[in-house]
Amino acid sequence: MDTVDSAERPATRYLAWADIFVVVYDITSRLSFQLAEQFLQQIALHQSDHSLCARENHKTLLLATKSDLERYRQVNESDGEKLAKKYSALFAEICATGQHSKVLHALHKPIEQLMKERASKRSPSPRLYSSDSEIQRRQKGFSMSLKNVARSGTLRRSKSPKSAQQKQKTGSKLLKLFHN
Ligand SMILES: Nc1nc2c(ncn2[C@@H]2O[C@H](COP(=O)(O)OP(=O)(O)OP(=O)(O)O)[C@@H](O)[C@H]2O)c(=O)[nH]1
């Protein structure tokens, strides 16, 4: 995701649906590092309260770019690592203009981890996932509601002969009128 767009809407709108957050800073800019921490804080806050979130869990990757510009470095690699650790994020220093394989590897890691975690949480069979007692409870609840429906139907049906008689009476009155 790119949190900067032409509409200048708040970046927090991504928090509800994102599976993976990639927070990028520039090693030649201390300010970008500080901003990265602010984003990490927002993500951590969101993760502690899932009430607005449709996702089960997330992964966060803290990505430091411009590792080729060593002479302009303002943020040590260890500072990046520490920050990532503080927010339980993955960390990588990359150079966008250099080896693409390193960039790809860094981006692939959180995807891989998330998929593994979700696969291990998912049950191989839905029948095994719900306990037998849970299934029985649901079946009991269902049959109870069926009984209630049937009961209310019987009540209605007990009223219906009366109304059928009334209909018949009205019909015969109308026929008499026509005959007359
Ligand atoms: N040398 C070097 N330059 C980079 C690297 N990553 C990005 N740049 C350069 O930094 C500038 C900004 O890169 P962008 O990817 O546009 O950064 P951004 O933060 O998305 O910028 P905005 O879209 O303007 O907000 C461009 O000129 C890039 O070529 C890197 O790893 N090394």
Side-chain angles (χ1 to χ4, degrees):
M1 71 180 184
D2 195 340
T3 53
V4 180
D5 64 23
S6 51
E8 286 178 6
R9 289 170 295 187
T12 45
R13 72 189 187 282
Y14 294 104
L15 294 175
W17 56 262
D19 288 305
I20 293 167
F21 298 97
V22 183
V23 178
V24 186
Y25 71 88
D26 171 356
I27 65 151
T28 70
S29 159
R30 193 80 204 168
L31 181 65
S32 74
F33 184 68
Q34 284 158 359
L35 286 172
E37 175 151 25
Q38 283 178 24
F39 278 118
L40 290 171
Q41 275 168 355
Q42 280 182 17
I43 295 163
L45 255 176
H46 166 74
Q47 278 178 323
S48 63
D49 173 20
H50 278 268
S51 56
L52 290 170
C53 177
R55 309 290 189 207
E56 268 177 23
N57 52 349
H58 313 99
K59 284 278 159 228
T60 308
L61 168 67
L62 181 63
L63 208 56
T65 57
K66 305 195 183 180
S67 63
D68 56 314
L69 300 179
E70 193 56 52
R71 59 193 181 279
Y72 303 113
R73 185 187 278 274
Q74 287 183 7
V75 186
N76 292 329
E77 191 168 6
S78 60
D79 286 347
E81 278 168 351
K82 261 189 233 159
L83 188 64
K85 208 172 172 188
K86 185 175 166 189
Y87 290 95
S88 308
L90 292 160
F91 176 75
E93 257 198 11
I94 53 137
C95 159
T97 55
Q99 275 184 324
H100 289 126
S101 58
K102 209 179 164 192
V103 179
L104 280 177
H105 180 72
L107 292 171
H108 198 253
K109 223 171 169 185
I111 301 171
E112 208 177 3
Q113 279 195 2
L114 195 69
M115 286 175 80
K116 253 189 208 165
E117 277 174 25
R118 288 193 177 167
S120 66
K121 273 187 185 170
R122 215 172 290 137
S123 161
S125 149
R127 289 188 79 189
L128 286 175
Y129 188 76
S130 330
S131 66
D132 285 353
S133 59
E134 192 186 333
I135 292 168
Q136 278 170 351
R137 229 181 301 129
R138 281 185 189 183
Q139 279 177 340
K140 217 175 177 182
F142 182 62
S143 61
M144 283 291 278
S145 53
L146 268 182
K147 269 183 198 164
N148 287 340
V149 168
R151 250 188 238 132
S152 57
T154 327
L155 281 174
R156 251 182 252 127
R157 247 181 272 128
S158 68
K159 280 180 187 168
S160 61
K162 219 178 186 180
S163 58
Q165 272 178 352
Q166 274 174 344
K167 268 184 196 168
Q168 259 183 351
K169 273 186 188 171
T170 327
S172 57
K173 269 182 194 169
L174 276 170
L175 272 172
K176 270 182 195 171
L177 270 174
F178 274 112
H179 283 302
N180 291 338

